[in-house]
């Protein structure tokens, strides 16, 4: 059972990692293409004219280091995307922790998580059912123990009452 649970955790971890990495790569590539297209095609003349009017040395610096400036800009954008997606991932972890707290405080209420966390939702609901079953079994065992004590007390009391009655007669 533990081997299967460990594989399920690895599967969830792998899915989340792959989704996050793929999103970062796709968004980063699209942003780099859009940035290159905007800088080189659409706003090339406007940017060049406005920069050369501001400072001619800065214009030549930008022309000579164009690839570096675009690369640094893309790296900053990639870091921004990583921050956004990691923040979302941490948000999912917070949702799971809230669901676990809810499970511990009120196990009768079913756990409901977003669609992306469906396998974790199923797992938590299975744990919820196991917890309810365990609590019911514990209550039943406690009830049986109390009944056993009552019956034993009655069974011991009946012969003792007879013995006391015989002794009183004697």
């Amino acid at each position: 059972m533990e081997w299967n649970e460990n594989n399920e955790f690895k599967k969830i971890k792998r899915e989340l990692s792959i989704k996050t990495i793929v999103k970062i790569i796709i968004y980063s590539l699209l942003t780099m293409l859009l940035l290159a297209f905007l800088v080189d095609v659409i706003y090339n003349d406007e940017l060049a004219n406005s920069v050369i009017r501001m400072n001619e040395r800065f214009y030549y610096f930008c022309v000579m280091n164009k690839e570096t400036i675009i690369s640094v800009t893309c790296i900053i954008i990639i870091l921004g995307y990583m921050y956004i997606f990691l923040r979302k991932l941490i948000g999912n972890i917070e949702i799971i922790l809230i669901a676990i707290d809810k499970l511990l405080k009120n196990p009768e209420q079913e756990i409901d998580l977003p669609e992306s966390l469906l396998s974790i939702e199923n797992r938590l609901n299975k744990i919820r059912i196991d917890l309810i079953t365990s609590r019911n079994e514990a209550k039943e065992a406690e009830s049986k123990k109390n009944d056993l004590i009552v019956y034993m007390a009655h069974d011991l009391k009946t012969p003792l009452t007879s013995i006391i009655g015989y002794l009183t007669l004697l």
Side-chain angles (χ1 to χ4, degrees):
M1 188 76 168
E2 188 174 318
W3 180 81
N4 190 20
E5 292 172 358
N6 200 13
N7 279 344
E8 187 175 337
F9 174 73
K10 287 180 181 178
K11 180 183 172 189
I12 292 169
K13 186 172 81 171
R14 187 174 35 250
E15 283 178 12
L16 288 175
S17 300
I18 289 172
K19 284 180 182 178
T20 303
I21 290 170
V22 167
K23 284 180 181 179
I24 289 172
I25 290 172
I26 289 173
Y27 287 133
S28 299
L29 287 174
L30 289 174
T31 302
M32 286 187 278
L33 290 172
L34 181 65
L35 184 64
F37 181 73
L38 288 175
V39 169
D40 280 340
V41 178
I42 295 178
Y43 295 113
N44 189 19
D45 292 335
E46 290 177 33
L47 282 174
N49 290 335
S50 61
V51 171
I52 204 164
R53 270 187 250 126
M54 285 178 13
N55 188 341
E56 195 172 320
R57 283 187 177 170
F58 183 66
Y59 169 75
Y60 287 116
F61 173 79
C62 290
V63 169
M64 299 302 288
N65 298 309
K66 180 178 168 182
E67 290 82 17
T68 306
I69 293 170
I70 290 177
S71 298
V72 168
T73 305
C74 289
I75 288 171
I76 291 170
I77 291 170
I78 290 169
L79 290 174
Y81 284 135
M82 289 176 69
Y83 173 76
I84 291 168
F85 289 118
L86 289 176
R87 193 166 165 217
K88 183 179 180 201
L89 192 62
I90 290 170
N92 284 342
I93 292 171
E94 288 177 5
I95 290 171
I96 293 169
L97 291 175
I98 290 169
I100 291 172
D101 285 342
K102 180 178 163 185
L103 173 69
L104 293 174
K105 290 178 183 172
N106 189 8
E108 287 76 28
Q109 193 174 12
E110 190 169 323
I111 303 297
D112 188 30
L113 297 177
E115 186 70 30
S116 61
L117 302 173
L118 185 64
S119 59
I120 295 173
E121 176 185 322
N122 293 336
R123 183 76 174 266
L124 287 175
N125 281 320
K126 181 183 177 298
I127 291 170
R128 180 183 66 82
I129 291 170
D130 291 345
L131 180 64
I132 291 171
T133 305
S134 297
R135 282 186 178 179
N136 289 341
E137 288 173 355
K139 285 180 185 177
E140 188 177 317
E142 182 73 23
S143 175
K144 285 181 181 179
K145 180 190 79 159
N146 290 340
D147 289 346
L148 178 66
I149 291 171
V150 169
Y151 294 142
M152 286 184 70
H154 177 69
D155 288 347
L156 287 173
K157 185 179 175 187
T158 304
L160 285 174
T161 304
S162 298
I163 292 172
I164 291 171
Y166 287 128
L167 289 174
T168 307
L169 274 173
L170 290 175

Short mmCIF file of all heavy atoms in Angstrom, two decimals, residues 42-80:
data_model
loop_
_atom_site.label_atom_id
_atom_site.label_comp_id
_atom_site.label_asym_id
_atom_site.label_seq_id
_atom_site.Cartn_x
_atom_site.Cartn_y
_atom_site.Cartn_z
N ILE A 42 7.92 46.64 -35.38
CA ILE A 42 6.88 47.67 -35.25
C ILE A 42 7.44 49.00 -34.75
O ILE A 42 7.24 50.04 -35.36
CB ILE A 42 5.75 47.17 -34.34
CG1 ILE A 42 5.05 46.00 -35.01
CG2 ILE A 42 4.76 48.28 -34.04
CD1 ILE A 42 3.94 45.39 -34.20
N TYR A 43 8.16 48.96 -33.64
CA TYR A 43 8.61 50.21 -33.02
C TYR A 43 10.08 50.51 -33.27
O TYR A 43 10.66 51.36 -32.60
CB TYR A 43 8.35 50.17 -31.50
CG TYR A 43 6.90 50.13 -31.16
CD1 TYR A 43 6.34 49.00 -30.57
CD2 TYR A 43 6.07 51.21 -31.43
CE1 TYR A 43 5.00 48.96 -30.25
CE2 TYR A 43 4.73 51.18 -31.11
CZ TYR A 43 4.20 50.05 -30.52
OH TYR A 43 2.88 50.01 -30.21
N ASN A 44 10.69 49.86 -34.22
CA ASN A 44 12.12 50.03 -34.47
C ASN A 44 12.46 51.48 -34.76
O ASN A 44 13.33 52.07 -34.11
CB ASN A 44 12.57 49.12 -35.61
CG ASN A 44 14.07 49.10 -35.76
OD1 ASN A 44 14.79 49.46 -34.84
ND2 ASN A 44 14.55 48.68 -36.91
N ASP A 45 11.80 52.09 -35.72
CA ASP A 45 12.11 53.47 -36.10
C ASP A 45 11.73 54.46 -34.99
O ASP A 45 12.48 55.39 -34.70
CB ASP A 45 11.39 53.84 -37.40
CG ASP A 45 11.95 53.07 -38.58
OD1 ASP A 45 13.12 52.66 -38.50
OD2 ASP A 45 11.21 52.87 -39.57
N GLU A 46 10.57 54.26 -34.38
CA GLU A 46 10.14 55.16 -33.31
C GLU A 46 11.09 55.11 -32.12
O GLU A 46 11.45 56.15 -31.55
CB GLU A 46 8.73 54.81 -32.86
CG GLU A 46 7.66 55.13 -33.89
CD GLU A 46 6.29 54.67 -33.42
OE1 GLU A 46 6.04 54.69 -32.20
OE2 GLU A 46 5.48 54.29 -34.27
N LEU A 47 11.48 53.89 -31.73
CA LEU A 47 12.42 53.75 -30.62
C LEU A 47 13.75 54.39 -30.96
O LEU A 47 14.34 55.10 -30.14
CB LEU A 47 12.62 52.27 -30.27
CG LEU A 47 11.52 51.60 -29.46
CD1 LEU A 47 11.80 50.10 -29.33
CD2 LEU A 47 11.41 52.22 -28.09
N ALA A 48 14.24 54.12 -32.15
CA ALA A 48 15.54 54.66 -32.55
C ALA A 48 15.50 56.18 -32.56
O ALA A 48 16.43 56.84 -32.06
CB ALA A 48 15.92 54.13 -33.93
N ASN A 49 14.47 56.75 -33.13
CA ASN A 49 14.37 58.21 -33.19
C ASN A 49 14.25 58.83 -31.80
O ASN A 49 14.89 59.85 -31.51
CB ASN A 49 13.18 58.64 -34.05
CG ASN A 49 13.42 58.34 -35.52
OD1 ASN A 49 14.56 58.25 -35.96
ND2 ASN A 49 12.34 58.17 -36.27
N SER A 50 13.45 58.24 -30.92
CA SER A 50 13.29 58.82 -29.59
C SER A 50 14.57 58.67 -28.76
O SER A 50 14.93 59.59 -28.02
CB SER A 50 12.10 58.20 -28.87
OG SER A 50 12.29 56.82 -28.69
N VAL A 51 15.27 57.56 -28.91
CA VAL A 51 16.50 57.36 -28.14
C VAL A 51 17.61 58.27 -28.67
O VAL A 51 18.37 58.85 -27.88
CB VAL A 51 16.94 55.87 -28.18
CG1 VAL A 51 18.32 55.69 -27.58
CG2 VAL A 51 15.93 55.00 -27.43
N ILE A 52 17.72 58.41 -29.97
CA ILE A 52 18.78 59.27 -30.52
C ILE A 52 18.53 60.73 -30.17
O ILE A 52 19.47 61.50 -29.98
CB ILE A 52 18.93 59.06 -32.05
CG1 ILE A 52 20.34 59.48 -32.46
CG2 ILE A 52 17.91 59.84 -32.83
CD1 ILE A 52 20.73 58.97 -33.83
N ARG A 53 17.25 61.14 -30.05
CA ARG A 53 16.95 62.50 -29.63
C ARG A 53 17.35 62.73 -28.18
O ARG A 53 17.76 63.81 -27.80
CB ARG A 53 15.45 62.79 -29.80
CG ARG A 53 15.14 63.35 -31.17
CD ARG A 53 13.68 63.82 -31.27
NE ARG A 53 13.00 62.88 -32.15
CZ ARG A 53 11.90 62.20 -31.88
NH1 ARG A 53 11.31 62.37 -30.73
NH2 ARG A 53 11.37 61.39 -32.74
N MET A 54 17.19 61.70 -27.35
CA MET A 54 17.53 61.84 -25.93
C MET A 54 19.04 61.95 -25.74
O MET A 54 19.53 62.88 -25.11
CB MET A 54 17.01 60.64 -25.13
CG MET A 54 15.52 60.67 -24.91
SD MET A 54 14.82 59.25 -24.02
CE MET A 54 16.14 58.38 -23.32
N ASN A 55 19.76 60.97 -26.29
CA ASN A 55 21.22 60.94 -26.09
C ASN A 55 21.82 60.05 -27.17
O ASN A 55 21.48 58.86 -27.28
CB ASN A 55 21.54 60.39 -24.70
CG ASN A 55 23.00 60.51 -24.36
OD1 ASN A 55 23.85 60.66 -25.24
ND2 ASN A 55 23.30 60.43 -23.08
N GLU A 56 22.75 60.61 -27.93
CA GLU A 56 23.33 59.87 -29.04
C GLU A 56 24.20 58.72 -28.56
O GLU A 56 24.20 57.64 -29.14
CB GLU A 56 24.14 60.83 -29.92
CG GLU A 56 24.47 60.25 -31.27
CD GLU A 56 25.09 61.27 -32.19
OE1 GLU A 56 24.66 62.44 -32.19
OE2 GLU A 56 26.02 60.87 -32.91
N ARG A 57 24.95 58.92 -27.45
CA ARG A 57 25.80 57.85 -26.91
C ARG A 57 24.93 56.68 -26.42
O ARG A 57 25.28 55.53 -26.62
CB ARG A 57 26.63 58.38 -25.76
CG ARG A 57 27.79 59.18 -26.20
CD ARG A 57 28.64 59.50 -25.01
NE ARG A 57 29.80 60.23 -25.44
CZ ARG A 57 30.64 60.82 -24.64
NH1 ARG A 57 30.44 60.76 -23.34
NH2 ARG A 57 31.67 61.47 -25.11
N PHE A 58 23.84 57.02 -25.76
CA PHE A 58 22.93 55.97 -25.29
C PHE A 58 22.35 55.18 -26.47
O PHE A 58 22.19 53.97 -26.41
CB PHE A 58 21.80 56.57 -24.43
CG PHE A 58 20.87 55.56 -23.85
CD1 PHE A 58 21.31 54.65 -22.91
CD2 PHE A 58 19.54 55.51 -24.25
CE1 PHE A 58 20.45 53.71 -22.37
CE2 PHE A 58 18.68 54.57 -23.73
CZ PHE A 58 19.12 53.67 -22.77
N TYR A 59 22.06 55.88 -27.56
CA TYR A 59 21.55 55.23 -28.77
C TYR A 59 22.57 54.23 -29.30
O TYR A 59 22.22 53.08 -29.58
CB TYR A 59 21.22 56.27 -29.84
CG TYR A 59 20.92 55.66 -31.20
CD1 TYR A 59 19.72 55.04 -31.44
CD2 TYR A 59 21.87 55.70 -32.21
CE1 TYR A 59 19.45 54.46 -32.67
CE2 TYR A 59 21.61 55.12 -33.45
CZ TYR A 59 20.40 54.50 -33.68
OH TYR A 59 20.12 53.93 -34.88
N TYR A 60 23.83 54.64 -29.41
CA TYR A 60 24.86 53.72 -29.93
C TYR A 60 25.12 52.57 -28.95
O TYR A 60 25.37 51.45 -29.36
CB TYR A 60 26.15 54.49 -30.23
CG TYR A 60 26.01 55.34 -31.47
CD1 TYR A 60 26.10 56.72 -31.40
CD2 TYR A 60 25.76 54.76 -32.71
CE1 TYR A 60 25.94 57.51 -32.52
CE2 TYR A 60 25.60 55.54 -33.84
CZ TYR A 60 25.70 56.91 -33.74
OH TYR A 60 25.54 57.67 -34.86
N PHE A 61 25.00 52.85 -27.65
CA PHE A 61 25.12 51.79 -26.65
C PHE A 61 24.01 50.75 -26.85
O PHE A 61 24.26 49.55 -26.81
CB PHE A 61 25.05 52.39 -25.24
CG PHE A 61 24.99 51.36 -24.15
CD1 PHE A 61 26.13 50.71 -23.73
CD2 PHE A 61 23.77 51.02 -23.56
CE1 PHE A 61 26.07 49.74 -22.74
CE2 PHE A 61 23.71 50.05 -22.57
CZ PHE A 61 24.87 49.42 -22.16
N CYS A 62 22.78 51.25 -27.07
CA CYS A 62 21.64 50.34 -27.28
C CYS A 62 21.80 49.54 -28.56
O CYS A 62 21.51 48.34 -28.60
CB CYS A 62 20.33 51.12 -27.31
SG CYS A 62 19.85 51.79 -25.71
N VAL A 63 22.30 50.17 -29.61
CA VAL A 63 22.48 49.48 -30.89
C VAL A 63 23.56 48.40 -30.75
O VAL A 63 23.40 47.28 -31.24
CB VAL A 63 22.84 50.49 -32.01
CG1 VAL A 63 23.30 49.77 -33.27
CG2 VAL A 63 21.65 51.38 -32.30
N MET A 64 24.65 48.73 -30.07
CA MET A 64 25.76 47.78 -29.92
C MET A 64 25.40 46.62 -28.98
O MET A 64 25.92 45.53 -29.12
CB MET A 64 27.01 48.51 -29.40
CG MET A 64 27.52 49.59 -30.35
SD MET A 64 27.90 48.97 -31.99
CE MET A 64 29.36 48.06 -31.66
N ASN A 65 24.52 46.85 -28.03
CA ASN A 65 24.18 45.84 -27.01
C ASN A 65 22.72 45.41 -27.10
O ASN A 65 22.13 45.01 -26.10
CB ASN A 65 24.48 46.39 -25.62
CG ASN A 65 25.93 46.69 -25.43
OD1 ASN A 65 26.79 45.86 -25.69
ND2 ASN A 65 26.24 47.91 -25.00
N LYS A 66 22.17 45.49 -28.28
CA LYS A 66 20.75 45.18 -28.48
C LYS A 66 20.40 43.76 -28.01
O LYS A 66 19.43 43.55 -27.29
CB LYS A 66 20.39 45.36 -29.95
CG LYS A 66 18.97 45.08 -30.29
CD LYS A 66 18.78 45.36 -31.77
CE LYS A 66 17.49 44.84 -32.27
NZ LYS A 66 17.33 45.06 -33.71
N GLU A 67 21.21 42.78 -28.40
CA GLU A 67 20.94 41.38 -28.03
C GLU A 67 21.03 41.20 -26.52
O GLU A 67 20.22 40.50 -25.92
CB GLU A 67 21.92 40.43 -28.73
CG GLU A 67 21.71 40.30 -30.21
CD GLU A 67 22.36 41.45 -31.00
OE1 GLU A 67 23.23 42.14 -30.43
OE2 GLU A 67 21.97 41.65 -32.14
N THR A 68 22.00 41.86 -25.90
CA THR A 68 22.16 41.75 -24.45
C THR A 68 20.97 42.38 -23.74
O THR A 68 20.44 41.81 -22.77
CB THR A 68 23.46 42.44 -24.00
OG1 THR A 68 24.55 41.90 -24.73
CG2 THR A 68 23.69 42.25 -22.53
N ILE A 69 20.55 43.54 -24.20
CA ILE A 69 19.40 44.22 -23.57
C ILE A 69 18.14 43.38 -23.71
O ILE A 69 17.39 43.20 -22.74
CB ILE A 69 19.21 45.62 -24.19
CG1 ILE A 69 20.39 46.52 -23.82
CG2 ILE A 69 17.89 46.24 -23.72
CD1 ILE A 69 20.42 47.83 -24.56
N ILE A 70 17.93 42.81 -24.90
CA ILE A 70 16.75 41.96 -25.10
C ILE A 70 16.86 40.70 -24.25
O ILE A 70 15.88 40.25 -23.65
CB ILE A 70 16.56 41.63 -26.60
CG1 ILE A 70 16.13 42.90 -27.34
CG2 ILE A 70 15.55 40.52 -26.80
CD1 ILE A 70 15.98 42.73 -28.84
N SER A 71 18.07 40.12 -24.16
CA SER A 71 18.25 38.92 -23.35
C SER A 71 17.98 39.19 -21.87
O SER A 71 17.31 38.41 -21.20
CB SER A 71 19.68 38.39 -23.51
OG SER A 71 19.92 38.02 -24.83
N VAL A 72 18.49 40.30 -21.36
CA VAL A 72 18.26 40.65 -19.95
C VAL A 72 16.77 40.89 -19.71
O VAL A 72 16.21 40.44 -18.70
CB VAL A 72 19.11 41.88 -19.55
CG1 VAL A 72 18.68 42.44 -18.20
CG2 VAL A 72 20.58 41.52 -19.53
N THR A 73 16.13 41.59 -20.65
CA THR A 73 14.69 41.82 -20.53
C THR A 73 13.93 40.49 -20.51
O THR A 73 13.02 40.30 -19.71
CB THR A 73 14.20 42.70 -21.69
OG1 THR A 73 14.97 43.90 -21.72
CG2 THR A 73 12.73 43.03 -21.53
N CYS A 74 14.32 39.57 -21.40
CA CYS A 74 13.66 38.25 -21.43
C CYS A 74 13.90 37.48 -20.14
O CYS A 74 12.99 36.82 -19.63
CB CYS A 74 14.15 37.45 -22.63
SG CYS A 74 13.54 38.10 -24.19
N ILE A 75 15.10 37.56 -19.59
CA ILE A 75 15.39 36.87 -18.32
C ILE A 75 14.52 37.44 -17.21
O ILE A 75 13.97 36.71 -16.39
CB ILE A 75 16.89 36.96 -17.98
CG1 ILE A 75 17.69 36.07 -18.93
CG2 ILE A 75 17.15 36.57 -16.53
CD1 ILE A 75 19.18 36.22 -18.83
N ILE A 76 14.38 38.77 -17.19
CA ILE A 76 13.53 39.39 -16.17
C ILE A 76 12.08 38.93 -16.34
O ILE A 76 11.39 38.62 -15.37
CB ILE A 76 13.65 40.93 -16.25
CG1 ILE A 76 15.03 41.37 -15.79
CG2 ILE A 76 12.55 41.61 -15.42
CD1 ILE A 76 15.35 42.82 -16.03
N ILE A 77 11.63 38.84 -17.58
CA ILE A 77 10.26 38.38 -17.84
C ILE A 77 10.10 36.92 -17.43
O ILE A 77 9.09 36.54 -16.81
CB ILE A 77 9.90 38.60 -19.31
CG1 ILE A 77 9.78 40.11 -19.58
CG2 ILE A 77 8.62 37.88 -19.69
CD1 ILE A 77 9.66 40.47 -21.04
N ILE A 78 11.10 36.08 -17.74
CA ILE A 78 11.05 34.66 -17.34
C ILE A 78 10.99 34.55 -15.82
O ILE A 78 10.21 33.75 -15.27
CB ILE A 78 12.26 33.90 -17.91
CG1 ILE A 78 12.14 33.75 -19.43
CG2 ILE A 78 12.41 32.52 -17.26
CD1 ILE A 78 13.38 33.24 -20.11
N LEU A 79 11.79 35.35 -15.12
CA LEU A 79 11.75 35.33 -13.65
C LEU A 79 10.37 35.77 -13.15
O LEU A 79 9.86 35.23 -12.16
CB LEU A 79 12.85 36.22 -13.08
CG LEU A 79 14.28 35.71 -13.26
CD1 LEU A 79 15.28 36.75 -12.77
CD2 LEU A 79 14.48 34.39 -12.56
N GLY A 80 9.78 36.73 -13.83
CA GLY A 80 8.43 37.15 -13.47
C GLY A 80 7.42 36.02 -13.63
O GLY A 80 6.58 35.79 -12.77
#
